[in-house]
């Protein structure tokens, strides 16, 4: 499998803390039988205790309560609902009590998602939470109760969550200097900031000393508030953040479509010695200074995802040449992008194990530019994703793909890639014949594939509206028929490819199982979905 780094740690992968850490190193006094287990075994067992049993366990004694909390509050989502207000009120009280508490809830939280929206926060609601309301009354500079919530959150992030690993911001809220400082001062090593608003002149770093924000993974997709044209300075809080995270950053995902200006490090070169995974999605560059820092000749990048809509980015890659450690490349192509420069970059990096071009390209470019390079030079390729800007895929293209004998993962698509229209009529007999030589294939994905129905007076026979048949009065029967049909196709592929364990056909994710009598297919989800790249 290609050694690529994930852009953000999934909260599902964060196990609850070991009890000794959740209990802040204090000795266990409980006589409850669970505590006879070694700490490491207890950590494996606790997450499997049913939620109702955890609530009962919390009533036994203090240690049992803290053990239950370490599971219940390992992964927390904060909103404006009453449960979140109660939780924030408790955490604020823990900040004020500091070391006077024998046990605390804050040390149990490992992953925190901020998703602020409805219901509306009012002063009447805030009065039900004494610590939050007192904080509101003591802080006249806070203009409203939402500012009170965010101000309390900043304090909690800074002082109450010693074991926080992952912070995921998912709110269209203005991030103030105090709140950003709280995020920076938190213990989180994986940080995602999505949909938030920033002031371009936000001042959170002290440059009398070298700024440091010791995170490992960072996702940034924010909007920027512009007060006047004088604010359009290419060196601003965005580049300040990059400088601060540079010593420790391992993975960066940066979406720039909401940026109103082009960015630069100026004459400075910033070193990113630990950066291994990089995603630049339409980030506007004023010059090559940021690109030269992220992709320097000393870089050890393993996974690179790049949109070529920005001229400076495309031209830089066209000149950059070989990246010795690069194993995975994803071209976030757009229709008006600079294609030739990216193709030059591909020609210089034939060591790739994974290549993804998630946006559609014309059959001519794929047949004359992409596949010839892949066939002749990509000797280690095990994963390929291509999309044709046409309603059919040429058999010649499929034959070339079929000759890439090392492939283990293949994702292909064609036709319209957005909206209701699915106009690629897939021909499975042609596909099977062309791809048959891929004996190591483990995963096969078809997306936006469509079919036709013949001979039924109530159903639409057009390829474009095939999936519309699911909304007719006979929709349940149609779904059963369609699912059965896709499972049969999946079994054809499974019996062709001995190593196949998963496929996606007809908008269904399908798992392949094998028995003495042969392979059989199982739908992983009863719900159909049009797969789209991340």
């Amino acid at each position: 499998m290609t050694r690529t780094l994930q852009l953000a740690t999934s909260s599902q992968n964060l196990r609850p803390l070991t009890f000794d850490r959740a209990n802040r190193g204090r000795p266990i006094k409980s006589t409850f039988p669970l505590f006879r287990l070694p700490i490491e075994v207890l950590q494996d067992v606790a997450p499997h205790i049913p939620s109702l049993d955890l609530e009962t366990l919390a009533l036994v004694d203090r240690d049992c309560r803290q053990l239950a909390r370490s599971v219940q509050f390992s992964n927390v989502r904060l909103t404006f609902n009453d449960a979140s207000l109660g939780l924030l009120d408790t955490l604020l009280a823990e900040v004020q009590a500091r070391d006077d508490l024998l046990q605390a809830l804050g040390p149990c939280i490992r992953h925190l998602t901020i998703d602020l929206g409805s219901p509306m926060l009012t002063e009447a609601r805030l009065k039900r939470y004494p610590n939050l309301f007192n904080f509101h009354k003591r802080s006249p500079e806070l203009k409203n109760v939402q500012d009170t919530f965010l101000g309390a959150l900043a304090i909690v992030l800074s002082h109450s969550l010693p074991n926080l690993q992952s912070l995921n911001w998912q709110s269209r809220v203005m991030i103030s200097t105090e709140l950003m400082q709280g995020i920076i001062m938190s213990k989180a090593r994986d940080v995602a900031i999505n949909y938030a608003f920033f002031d371009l002149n936000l001042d959170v770093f002290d440059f009398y000393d070298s700024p440091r924000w010791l995170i490992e993974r960072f996702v940034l997709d924010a909007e920027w508030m512009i007060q006047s044209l004088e604010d359009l300075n290419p060196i601003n809080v965005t580049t300040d953040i990059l400088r601060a995270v540079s010593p420790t950053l391992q993975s960066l995902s940066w979406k720039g479509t909401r940026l109103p200006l082009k960015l630069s490090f100026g004459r400075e070169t910033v070193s990113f010695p630990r950066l291994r995974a990089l995603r630049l999605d339409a980030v506007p560059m004023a010059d090559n200074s940021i690109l030269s820092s992220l992709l320097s000749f000393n870089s050890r990048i393993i996974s690179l995802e790049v949109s070529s809509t920005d001229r400076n980015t495309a031209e830089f890659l066209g000149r950059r040449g070989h990246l010795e450690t690069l194993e995975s490349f994803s071209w976030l192509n757009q229709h008006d992008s600079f294609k030739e420069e990216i193709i030059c970059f591909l020609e210089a990096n034939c060591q790739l194990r994974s290549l993804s071009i998630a946006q559609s390209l014309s059959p001519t470019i794929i047949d004359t530019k992409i596949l010839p390079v892949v066939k002749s030079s990509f000797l280690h390729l095990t994963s390929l994703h291509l999309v044709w800007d046409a309603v059919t895929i040429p058999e010649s293209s499929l034959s070339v793909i079929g000759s890439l004998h090392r492939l283990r993962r293949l994702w292909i698509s064609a036709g319209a890639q957005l909206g209701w229209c699915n106009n690629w009529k897939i021909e499975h007999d042609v596909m099977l014949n062309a791809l048959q030589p891929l004996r190591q294939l483990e995963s096969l994905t078809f997306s936006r594939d469509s079919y036709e129905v013949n001979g039924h007076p109530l159903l639409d026979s057009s390829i474009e509206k095939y999936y519309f048949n699911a909304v007719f009065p006979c929709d349940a029967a149609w779904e059963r028929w369609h699912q059965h049909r896709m499972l049969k196709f999946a079994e054809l592929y499974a019996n062709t490819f001995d190593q196949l364990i998963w496929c996606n056909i007809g908008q269904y994710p399908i798992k392949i199982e094998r028995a003495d009598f042969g392979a059989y297919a199982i739908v992983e989800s009863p719900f159909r979905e049009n797969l789209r790249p991340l």
Side-chain angles (χ1 to χ4, degrees), residues 405-454:
H405 298 154
R406 289 178 177 267
L407 279 186
R408 296 183 181 180
R409 289 169 298 281
L410 177 61
W411 182 352
I412 55 179
S413 183
Q417 295 296 302
L418 295 173
W420 59 266
C421 179
N422 295 268
N423 57 357
W424 171 35
K425 182 187 176 183
I426 187 170
E427 299 182 51
H428 286 294
D429 53 343
V430 174
M431 199 71 66
L432 278 163
N433 183 61
L435 302 181
Q436 189 174 6
L438 302 180
R439 310 311 302 173
Q440 298 185 51
L441 201 63
E442 299 173 358
S443 173
L444 178 61
T445 300
F446 301 120
S447 58
R448 309 293 296 193
D449 50 321
S450 193
Y451 305 82
E452 61 183 347
V453 182
N454 295 316

Side-chain angles (χ1 to χ4, degrees), residues 16 55 103 125 142 172 175 178 190 196 274 310 328 387 424 429 484 511:
E55 293 176 13
Q103 292 176 324
R125 291 182 63 208
L142 300 174
R172 295 182 66 84
I175 294 186
E178 293 74 23
D190 304 336
R274 301 184 65 188
D310 176 68
S328 174
V387 181
W424 171 35
D429 53 343
H484 178 75
K511 179 173 63 174

Side-chain angles (χ1 to χ4, degrees), residues 10-14 16 69-78 87 108-113 166:
S10 170
S11 60
Q12 286 77 10
N13 293 333
L14 286 174
R69 280 174 154 188
S70 71
V71 178
Q72 293 168 318
F73 294 96
S74 176
N75 186 355
V76 168
R77 178 179 293 271
L78 276 185
L87 176 60
C108 300
I109 297 176
R110 297 205 71 195
H111 175 80
L112 180 62
T113 297
S166 175

